[in-house]
Amino acid sequence: MATLILVRHGRSTANTSGLLAGRTPGVSLDEHGTAQASALPARLAGVPLAAAVTSPLQRCHETLAPLLAARPGLTLHTDERINECDYGDWSGRKLAELADEPLMAVVQQHPSAAVFPGGESMRGMQARAVEAVRDWNARIEAEHGEDAVYLMCSHGDIIKSIVADALGLHLDQFQRVHVDPCSVTAVRYTRLRPFLLRLGDTGDLATLTPRDGAGGNGVADVGGGAGAA
């Protein structure tokens, strides 16, 4: 079956402002995120891509723009199922304020029970994202063969939930996974089991140094975090 390259969008203006963007319109890449996106074509230069699939949000489209410019023949598809989690009433709020909400402890420790007010459940988020992967795996294999590689550009919690599924982890374990902005995660799907080939690869080992977030203080970055500067 197909090999999936998961790319988290580059660092956004919401990431650097400490906001949980969710599906708030008009959230773009910041200057650093734009540089991350510009470096993506070179990082993926040796990878033949059969297709690219993206979340509908602006920051994902901006992340893929340099790659599409470098590969004029690469077809881009938009799939609502890999859209950011619908955080509902939490969208656009400061993460520092949300830390005191009782629901945050559930999001951190028992995400399979978390339902965002006015939004969706984390179970529903994972289910739609994994369904999209399964559908695209079948489509890419049918159109390009079982050795084909394709790319999805999405969001932190979406990618983490797909990785948890690939590893056979319960959703309650997915906060143990971390992916930085514009990081590359690769999963090879086979008929018996998936294989995780790369996880959150930024090509920069500086992100391994201790810092707040990314599990540095025992708390996962809801929404994905801003990554290293």
Side-chain angles (χ1 to χ4, degrees):
M1 297 176 70
T3 295
L4 169 60
I5 305 294
L6 289 159
V7 176
R8 185 183 166 204
H9 63 78
R11 196 175 75 179
S12 73
T13 53
N15 292 147
T16 46
S17 299
L19 299 176
L20 184 62
R23 299 180 179 183
T24 305
V27 176
S28 62
L29 300 184
D30 68 6
E31 184 176 353
H32 183 66
T34 300
Q36 290 175 322
S38 296
L40 192 59
R43 292 172 61 200
L44 295 174
V47 182
L49 295 174
V53 186
T54 184
S55 155
L57 295 185
Q58 176 180 337
R59 53 194 182 271
C60 288
H61 282 268
E62 289 178 351
T63 298
L64 290 187
L67 180 65
L68 295 170
R71 302 195 189 196
L74 184 61
T75 303
L76 180 65
H77 307 270
T78 300
D79 194 323
E80 181 68 34
R81 294 174 297 179
I82 60 169
N83 199 350
E84 176 65 285
C85 183
D86 184 355
Y87 297 114
D89 298 343
W90 279 25
S91 300
R93 293 181 60 188
K94 288 227 173 247
L95 285 162
E97 297 173 359
L98 292 170
D100 296 327
E101 293 280 351
L103 179 60
M104 183 59 86
V106 181
V107 170
Q108 289 290 326
Q109 300 178 40
H110 190 22
S112 65
V115 182
F116 294 99
E120 70 178 330
S121 69
M122 301 200 93
R123 287 190 322 279
M125 173 199 73
Q126 183 187 43
R128 62 174 167 82
V130 169
E131 177 186 50
V133 170
R134 297 290 189 272
D135 287 351
W136 279 102
N137 283 349
R139 175 173 173 176
I140 294 297
E141 181 177 358
E143 295 179 3
H144 301 280
E146 62 181 12
D147 294 328
V149 181
Y150 72 106
L151 178 148
M152 280 187 171
C153 185
S154 189
H155 308 271
D157 282 348
I158 296 292
I159 293 172
K160 287 162 57 177
S161 72
I162 292 171
V163 169
D165 172 77
L167 291 176
L169 296 176
H170 194 281
L171 183 61
D172 286 344
Q173 308 301 320
F174 102 124
Q175 296 290 28
R176 300 184 182 196
V177 178
H178 180 80
V179 290
D180 275 324
C182 223
S183 63
V184 172
T185 295
V187 182
R188 177 174 296 137
Y189 288 86
T190 73
R191 303 205 180 278
L192 296 180
R193 63 177 65 88
F195 291 87
L196 183 63
L197 306 179
R198 296 286 188 280
L199 176 61
D201 189 344
T202 62
D204 181 1
L205 296 181
T207 60
L208 295 179
T209 57
R211 68 180 193 273
D212 288 341
N217 55 5
V219 177
D221 293 323
V222 179

